[in-house]
Amino acid sequence: MAKNKKAKKPANPVLETLSTVIWALGIAIVLRTFLFQPFHIPSGSMLPGLMKGDYIITTKYSLGYGKYAAAPLPFPVKKGRLFEREPNRGDVIVFRPEGDDKNFIKRLVGLPGDQLQVQKGRLFVNGEAIKTELIGEETYSNQFGKDSIAEAWRETFGTENGHIVFDTQKNNPLDNTSVFTVPSNHYFMMGDNRDNSFDSRVPVIKGGAGFIPTENLMGKAEFVLLSVDDDFALFKPWTWANMRGDRFFKGIK
């Protein structure tokens, strides 16, 4: 007679679900730590390229992995970045100022050893004015939600195609600075909305960014995933029309 085969125990649905969730979380953590991370733009300091309400995707591997690579979890790097890759002047980067617990996004304008100064709203690097060209005027929504007018300038670093920066005020205190010398293993960042950006021109104790240590870089901004108005709410379907349809998968220059 043939022996009876043991009946296979039915899988426990609770354990299967738990296993699936753990695997999914593990994969998500690995992707977020080593490849991509989303960030939300909370202000207009990077206008016109980035708008308040944009959700952007950054790449981690493009810079290497510093101490905030897995934030809010600790990452075992004290100085520098694991598999470090040097960023380029003009890159838009997410970082965390030293001594602050908030993430910033700005444009990298100063490399280690550079001397930078702003005079009458124009950026000078190592004594030479960065190439700029007046494009015209643009209407934008200011921090109070009202329409304002800005001068739009095309700023170009080296051989890149250039990016647009805003000049919204004349004789703003940030338009004229002393000379900043970027320390070794640090970077200097500025917002594209130059008169409305607390960046490396302003020390951390006054709400700015100061000089950024190399290990505090988190990711290079690559593209806008989606963008929403202030009235958008995920769990209120009647607000979904407040998505900005022209900004899906928009590249960041």
Side-chain angles (χ1 to χ4, degrees):
M1 291 180 61
K3 292 183 179 180
N4 292 330
K5 292 184 178 180
K6 287 186 178 180
K8 190 176 180 180
K9 282 187 177 182
N12 187 316
V14 175
L15 291 179
E16 279 196 341
T17 300
L18 184 60
S19 175
T20 300
V21 169
I22 291 173
W23 273 103
L25 286 175
I27 292 170
I29 290 172
V30 170
L31 290 175
R32 183 182 180 278
T33 301
F34 294 103
L35 297 179
F36 310 102
Q37 184 171 354
F39 290 94
H40 172 250
I41 305 300
S43 73
S45 69
M46 283 296 290
L47 284 170
L50 294 174
M51 301 175 65
K52 180 181 179 182
D54 283 352
Y55 286 84
I56 67 165
I57 298 296
T58 63
T59 52
K60 299 292 190 70
Y61 54 83
S62 58
L63 298 176
Y65 309 100
K67 64 181 180 181
Y68 297 118
L73 300 176
F75 197 75
V77 170
K78 297 291 185 181
K79 291 290 184 181
R81 300 191 305 280
L82 186 65
F83 304 121
E84 182 172 6
R85 295 184 181 182
E86 291 298 326
N88 297 312
R89 196 190 314 276
D91 286 348
V92 177
I93 292 176
V94 174
F95 59 92
R96 187 169 294 184
E98 188 67 13
D100 202 330
D101 60 357
K102 298 186 295 294
N103 300 327
F104 282 43
I105 180 166
K106 307 292 180 187
R107 190 175 300 277
L108 192 160
V109 300
L111 302 171
D114 280 346
Q115 290 190 321
L116 296 101
Q117 186 174 23
V118 180
Q119 296 180 343
K120 296 181 179 180
R122 294 194 67 187
L123 175 62
F124 289 74
V125 178
N126 298 324
E128 295 187 8
I130 296 300
K131 180 181 176 182
T132 56
E133 175 189 3
L134 180 62
I135 302 299
E137 293 185 339
E138 289 190 24
T139 301
Y140 75 102
S141 180
N142 63 25
Q143 63 267 39
F144 305 109
K146 296 183 178 180
D147 286 346
S148 297
I149 301 296
E151 287 183 353
W153 292 79
R154 184 181 302 279
E155 183 177 74
T156 306
F157 294 122
T159 58
E160 65 148 6
N161 293 326
H163 50 271
I164 306 300
V165 298
F166 271 179
D167 182 2
T168 62
Q169 304 171 29
K170 299 302 179 184
N171 301 317
N172 185 293
L174 296 176
D175 283 344
N176 295 281
T177 72
S178 58
V179 175
F180 297 94
T181 300
V182 185
S184 175
N185 299 318
H186 287 72
Y187 297 96
F188 195 95
M189 309 285 187
M190 289 177 64
D192 290 347
N193 190 357
R194 294 288 162 81
D195 296 318
N196 298 282
S197 175
F198 271 33
D199 44 42
S200 290
R201 294 171 290 177
V202 182
V204 175
I205 59 173
K206 293 186 177 180
F211 297 120
I212 310 304
T214 182
E215 58 267 17
N216 290 29
L217 303 186
M218 298 177 72
K220 179 182 174 183
E222 301 288 357
F223 62 91
V224 178
L225 179 64
L226 59 90
S227 184
V228 299
D229 291 331
D230 288 340
D231 294 333
F232 174 85
L234 182 62
F235 298 106
K236 296 179 181 179
W238 58 91
T239 68
W240 291 357
N242 293 329
M243 285 190 180
R244 301 177 181 125
D246 60 337
R247 296 187 66 77
F248 283 99
F249 300 101
K250 183 180 177 67
I252 296 173
K253 296 180 180 180

